[in-house]
Short mmCIF file of all heavy atoms in Angstrom, two decimals:
data_model
loop_
_atom_site.label_atom_id
_atom_site.label_comp_id
_atom_site.label_asym_id
_atom_site.label_seq_id
_atom_site.Cartn_x
_atom_site.Cartn_y
_atom_site.Cartn_z
N THR E 1 5.89 -0.40 2.07
CA THR E 1 6.86 0.43 1.38
C THR E 1 6.81 0.14 -0.11
O THR E 1 6.41 -0.95 -0.54
CB THR E 1 8.30 0.21 1.87
OG1 THR E 1 8.69 -1.14 1.65
CG2 THR E 1 8.42 0.54 3.35
N SER E 2 7.24 1.12 -0.88
CA SER E 2 7.34 0.98 -2.32
C SER E 2 8.63 1.63 -2.78
O SER E 2 8.86 2.82 -2.55
CB SER E 2 6.14 1.64 -3.01
OG SER E 2 6.27 1.58 -4.42
N SER E 3 9.49 0.87 -3.42
CA SER E 3 10.75 1.39 -3.92
C SER E 3 10.51 2.23 -5.17
O SER E 3 9.43 2.23 -5.76
CB SER E 3 11.72 0.26 -4.22
OG SER E 3 11.34 -0.43 -5.40
N SER E 4 11.55 2.92 -5.58
CA SER E 4 11.44 3.75 -6.77
C SER E 4 11.13 2.92 -8.01
O SER E 4 10.53 3.43 -8.96
CB SER E 4 12.72 4.55 -6.98
OG SER E 4 13.85 3.70 -7.11
N GLY E 5 11.54 1.67 -8.00
CA GLY E 5 11.26 0.77 -9.10
C GLY E 5 9.94 0.03 -8.99
O GLY E 5 9.59 -0.73 -9.89
N GLY E 6 9.24 0.22 -7.87
CA GLY E 6 7.93 -0.38 -7.72
C GLY E 6 7.88 -1.64 -6.87
O GLY E 6 6.79 -2.20 -6.68
N SER E 7 9.01 -2.08 -6.34
CA SER E 7 8.99 -3.23 -5.44
C SER E 7 8.28 -2.86 -4.15
O SER E 7 8.47 -1.76 -3.63
CB SER E 7 10.40 -3.71 -5.14
OG SER E 7 11.05 -4.14 -6.32
N THR E 8 7.49 -3.77 -3.62
CA THR E 8 6.68 -3.48 -2.44
C THR E 8 6.94 -4.46 -1.32
O THR E 8 7.33 -5.61 -1.56
CB THR E 8 5.19 -3.49 -2.78
OG1 THR E 8 4.82 -4.78 -3.30
CG2 THR E 8 4.87 -2.43 -3.82
N ASN E 9 6.72 -4.00 -0.11
CA ASN E 9 6.78 -4.83 1.08
C ASN E 9 5.64 -4.43 2.00
O ASN E 9 5.25 -3.26 2.05
CB ASN E 9 8.12 -4.68 1.79
CG ASN E 9 9.24 -5.38 1.08
OD1 ASN E 9 9.31 -6.61 1.06
ND2 ASN E 9 10.13 -4.61 0.47
N TYR E 10 5.14 -5.41 2.76
CA TYR E 10 4.01 -5.18 3.65
C TYR E 10 4.25 -5.79 5.01
O TYR E 10 4.90 -6.84 5.13
CB TYR E 10 2.73 -5.77 3.07
CG TYR E 10 2.30 -5.18 1.76
CD1 TYR E 10 2.72 -5.72 0.55
CD2 TYR E 10 1.47 -4.07 1.73
CE1 TYR E 10 2.33 -5.17 -0.65
CE2 TYR E 10 1.07 -3.51 0.52
CZ TYR E 10 1.51 -4.07 -0.67
OH TYR E 10 1.11 -3.51 -1.86
N ALA E 11 3.69 -5.14 6.01
CA ALA E 11 3.65 -5.76 7.32
C ALA E 11 2.73 -6.98 7.27
O ALA E 11 1.75 -7.01 6.52
CB ALA E 11 3.14 -4.76 8.36
N ASP E 12 3.06 -7.98 8.07
CA ASP E 12 2.25 -9.20 8.08
C ASP E 12 0.79 -8.92 8.41
O ASP E 12 -0.11 -9.58 7.90
CB ASP E 12 2.82 -10.21 9.07
CG ASP E 12 4.13 -10.82 8.60
OD1 ASP E 12 4.43 -10.75 7.40
OD2 ASP E 12 4.85 -11.38 9.45
N SER E 13 0.56 -7.93 9.25
CA SER E 13 -0.78 -7.65 9.71
C SER E 13 -1.69 -7.09 8.61
O SER E 13 -2.92 -7.13 8.75
CB SER E 13 -0.75 -6.67 10.89
OG SER E 13 -0.13 -5.46 10.52
N VAL E 14 -1.11 -6.57 7.55
CA VAL E 14 -1.91 -5.97 6.48
C VAL E 14 -1.76 -6.69 5.16
O VAL E 14 -2.49 -6.37 4.20
CB VAL E 14 -1.58 -4.48 6.29
CG1 VAL E 14 -1.69 -3.74 7.61
CG2 VAL E 14 -0.20 -4.30 5.68
N LYS E 15 -0.87 -7.64 5.10
CA LYS E 15 -0.62 -8.35 3.85
C LYS E 15 -1.90 -9.02 3.35
O LYS E 15 -2.59 -9.70 4.10
CB LYS E 15 0.49 -9.38 4.05
CG LYS E 15 0.99 -10.01 2.76
CD LYS E 15 2.17 -10.94 3.03
CE LYS E 15 2.72 -11.53 1.75
NZ LYS E 15 3.87 -12.43 2.02
N GLY E 16 -2.19 -8.82 2.09
CA GLY E 16 -3.39 -9.36 1.50
C GLY E 16 -4.60 -8.46 1.60
O GLY E 16 -5.61 -8.72 0.94
N ARG E 17 -4.50 -7.41 2.42
CA ARG E 17 -5.61 -6.48 2.58
C ARG E 17 -5.29 -5.09 2.06
O ARG E 17 -6.17 -4.41 1.53
CB ARG E 17 -6.02 -6.38 4.05
CG ARG E 17 -6.50 -7.70 4.64
CD ARG E 17 -7.09 -7.50 6.03
NE ARG E 17 -6.09 -7.00 6.97
CZ ARG E 17 -6.20 -5.85 7.65
NH1 ARG E 17 -7.26 -5.07 7.48
NH2 ARG E 17 -5.25 -5.49 8.50
N PHE E 18 -4.04 -4.66 2.23
CA PHE E 18 -3.63 -3.32 1.81
C PHE E 18 -2.77 -3.42 0.57
O PHE E 18 -2.04 -4.40 0.37
CB PHE E 18 -2.83 -2.62 2.91
CG PHE E 18 -3.59 -2.27 4.15
CD1 PHE E 18 -4.90 -2.67 4.34
CD2 PHE E 18 -2.97 -1.54 5.16
CE1 PHE E 18 -5.60 -2.35 5.49
CE2 PHE E 18 -3.66 -1.22 6.32
CZ PHE E 18 -4.97 -1.62 6.49
N THR E 19 -2.82 -2.37 -0.24
CA THR E 19 -2.01 -2.30 -1.45
C THR E 19 -1.38 -0.93 -1.57
O THR E 19 -2.09 0.08 -1.54
CB THR E 19 -2.84 -2.59 -2.71
OG1 THR E 19 -3.47 -3.86 -2.61
CG2 THR E 19 -1.94 -2.58 -3.94
N ILE E 20 -0.06 -0.89 -1.68
CA ILE E 20 0.64 0.36 -1.90
C ILE E 20 0.97 0.49 -3.38
O ILE E 20 1.30 -0.48 -4.05
CB ILE E 20 1.92 0.45 -1.04
CG1 ILE E 20 2.53 1.86 -1.11
CG2 ILE E 20 2.95 -0.60 -1.44
CD1 ILE E 20 3.66 2.08 -0.11
N SER E 21 0.85 1.70 -3.89
CA SER E 21 1.18 1.97 -5.27
C SER E 21 1.69 3.40 -5.39
O SER E 21 1.56 4.18 -4.44
CB SER E 21 -0.03 1.75 -6.19
OG SER E 21 -1.09 2.62 -5.84
N ARG E 22 2.26 3.72 -6.51
CA ARG E 22 2.77 5.08 -6.69
C ARG E 22 2.64 5.51 -8.13
O ARG E 22 2.65 4.70 -9.06
CB ARG E 22 4.22 5.19 -6.22
CG ARG E 22 5.21 4.35 -7.00
CD ARG E 22 6.53 4.23 -6.25
NE ARG E 22 7.25 5.50 -6.18
CZ ARG E 22 8.30 5.73 -5.40
NH1 ARG E 22 8.74 4.77 -4.58
NH2 ARG E 22 8.90 6.91 -5.42
N ASP E 23 2.53 6.81 -8.30
CA ASP E 23 2.51 7.44 -9.60
C ASP E 23 3.67 8.41 -9.61
O ASP E 23 3.59 9.51 -9.06
CB ASP E 23 1.18 8.16 -9.84
CG ASP E 23 1.06 8.72 -11.25
OD1 ASP E 23 2.09 8.97 -11.89
OD2 ASP E 23 -0.08 8.89 -11.71
N ASN E 24 4.77 8.00 -10.20
CA ASN E 24 5.98 8.81 -10.15
C ASN E 24 5.82 10.14 -10.89
O ASN E 24 6.44 11.14 -10.51
CB ASN E 24 7.16 8.03 -10.72
CG ASN E 24 7.59 6.88 -9.84
OD1 ASN E 24 7.51 6.97 -8.61
ND2 ASN E 24 8.04 5.79 -10.45
N ALA E 25 5.01 10.16 -11.92
CA ALA E 25 4.79 11.40 -12.65
C ALA E 25 4.09 12.44 -11.79
O ALA E 25 4.24 13.65 -12.00
CB ALA E 25 3.97 11.14 -13.91
N LYS E 26 3.32 11.98 -10.82
CA LYS E 26 2.60 12.87 -9.91
C LYS E 26 3.28 13.00 -8.55
O LYS E 26 2.77 13.71 -7.69
CB LYS E 26 1.17 12.39 -9.71
CG LYS E 26 0.32 12.39 -10.96
CD LYS E 26 -1.09 11.90 -10.66
CE LYS E 26 -1.96 11.92 -11.90
NZ LYS E 26 -3.34 11.41 -11.63
N ASN E 27 4.41 12.32 -8.37
CA ASN E 27 5.09 12.30 -7.07
C ASN E 27 4.12 11.94 -5.95
O ASN E 27 4.12 12.56 -4.88
CB ASN E 27 5.76 13.65 -6.79
CG ASN E 27 7.02 13.85 -7.59
OD1 ASN E 27 7.72 12.90 -7.93
ND2 ASN E 27 7.33 15.11 -7.90
N THR E 28 3.33 10.93 -6.20
CA THR E 28 2.27 10.55 -5.27
C THR E 28 2.33 9.06 -4.98
O THR E 28 2.55 8.25 -5.88
CB THR E 28 0.89 10.92 -5.84
OG1 THR E 28 0.83 12.34 -6.06
CG2 THR E 28 -0.22 10.53 -4.87
N VAL E 29 2.12 8.71 -3.73
CA VAL E 29 2.02 7.33 -3.32
C VAL E 29 0.64 7.12 -2.71
O VAL E 29 0.08 8.01 -2.07
CB VAL E 29 3.14 6.95 -2.33
CG1 VAL E 29 3.03 7.74 -1.03
CG2 VAL E 29 3.13 5.45 -2.05
N TYR E 30 0.09 5.93 -2.93
CA TYR E 30 -1.25 5.60 -2.47
C TYR E 30 -1.21 4.38 -1.57
O TYR E 30 -0.31 3.54 -1.65
CB TYR E 30 -2.17 5.31 -3.65
CG TYR E 30 -2.23 6.39 -4.69
CD1 TYR E 30 -1.38 6.35 -5.80
CD2 TYR E 30 -3.12 7.45 -4.58
CE1 TYR E 30 -1.43 7.34 -6.76
CE2 TYR E 30 -3.17 8.44 -5.54
CZ TYR E 30 -2.33 8.39 -6.63
OH TYR E 30 -2.38 9.37 -7.59
N LEU E 31 -2.21 4.27 -0.74
CA LEU E 31 -2.42 3.07 0.05
C LEU E 31 -3.90 2.73 0.01
O LEU E 31 -4.73 3.52 0.46
CB LEU E 31 -1.96 3.25 1.50
CG LEU E 31 -2.02 1.99 2.36
CD1 LEU E 31 -0.97 0.98 1.90
CD2 LEU E 31 -1.83 2.31 3.83
N ARG E 32 -4.21 1.59 -0.57
CA ARG E 32 -5.57 1.09 -0.60
C ARG E 32 -5.76 0.14 0.58
O ARG E 32 -5.02 -0.83 0.72
CB ARG E 32 -5.86 0.36 -1.91
CG ARG E 32 -7.25 -0.24 -2.02
CD ARG E 32 -8.30 0.84 -2.12
NE ARG E 32 -9.64 0.29 -2.28
CZ ARG E 32 -10.75 1.00 -2.37
NH1 ARG E 32 -10.68 2.34 -2.34
NH2 ARG E 32 -11.91 0.41 -2.51
N LEU E 33 -6.71 0.46 1.42
CA LEU E 33 -6.99 -0.32 2.62
C LEU E 33 -8.32 -1.04 2.43
O LEU E 33 -9.37 -0.41 2.42
CB LEU E 33 -7.05 0.55 3.86
CG LEU E 33 -5.81 1.38 4.26
CD1 LEU E 33 -5.68 2.63 3.41
CD2 LEU E 33 -5.90 1.78 5.73
N ASN E 34 -8.27 -2.33 2.26
CA ASN E 34 -9.46 -3.15 2.12
C ASN E 34 -9.67 -4.01 3.36
O ASN E 34 -8.76 -4.24 4.14
CB ASN E 34 -9.35 -4.06 0.89
CG ASN E 34 -9.42 -3.32 -0.41
OD1 ASN E 34 -10.05 -2.27 -0.51
ND2 ASN E 34 -8.78 -3.87 -1.44
N SER E 35 -10.88 -4.50 3.51
CA SER E 35 -11.23 -5.40 4.61
C SER E 35 -10.76 -4.86 5.95
O SER E 35 -10.12 -5.55 6.74
CB SER E 35 -10.64 -6.79 4.36
OG SER E 35 -11.09 -7.32 3.13
N LEU E 36 -11.07 -3.62 6.20
CA LEU E 36 -10.56 -2.94 7.38
C LEU E 36 -11.10 -3.56 8.66
O LEU E 36 -12.25 -4.00 8.73
CB LEU E 36 -10.91 -1.46 7.33
CG LEU E 36 -10.00 -0.64 6.41
CD1 LEU E 36 -10.64 0.69 6.06
CD2 LEU E 36 -8.64 -0.43 7.08
N LYS E 37 -10.24 -3.57 9.66
CA LYS E 37 -10.54 -4.10 10.98
C LYS E 37 -10.39 -2.99 12.01
O LYS E 37 -9.64 -2.05 11.79
CB LYS E 37 -9.60 -5.25 11.33
CG LYS E 37 -9.56 -6.38 10.32
CD LYS E 37 -8.48 -7.39 10.68
CE LYS E 37 -8.40 -8.50 9.66
NZ LYS E 37 -7.33 -9.48 10.00
N PRO E 38 -11.07 -3.10 13.14
CA PRO E 38 -10.91 -2.07 14.17
C PRO E 38 -9.45 -1.88 14.58
O PRO E 38 -9.06 -0.74 14.91
CB PRO E 38 -11.75 -2.61 15.34
CG PRO E 38 -12.82 -3.40 14.67
CD PRO E 38 -12.14 -4.05 13.49
N GLU E 39 -8.65 -2.92 14.58
CA GLU E 39 -7.25 -2.79 14.95
C GLU E 39 -6.42 -2.02 13.94
O GLU E 39 -5.25 -1.72 14.19
CB GLU E 39 -6.62 -4.17 15.22
CG GLU E 39 -6.85 -5.18 14.11
CD GLU E 39 -8.01 -6.12 14.38
OE1 GLU E 39 -9.08 -5.64 14.81
OE2 GLU E 39 -7.85 -7.34 14.17
#
């Protein structure tokens, strides 16, 4: 999750691998998924 102010939280299973970000001017949120696993 990403709050309107940019604070983020992650599930333990993805912490350190995924990154959430947002561009408020574009009303867009992103999720970068690195080191992907089959699960």
Side-chain angles (χ1 to χ4, degrees):
T1 61
S2 176
S3 74
S4 59
S7 298
T8 59
N9 286 289
Y10 298 91
D12 289 341
S13 59
V14 307
K15 190 175 182 180
R17 298 188 297 121
F18 293 6
T19 303
I20 189 170
S21 61
R22 64 195 291 168
D23 186 336
N24 291 325
K26 296 180 179 179
N27 285 330
T28 300
V29 63
Y30 306 93
L31 186 69
R32 179 69 178 179
L33 300 78
N34 291 331
S35 302
L36 281 162
K37 305 173 181 179
E39 51 263 45

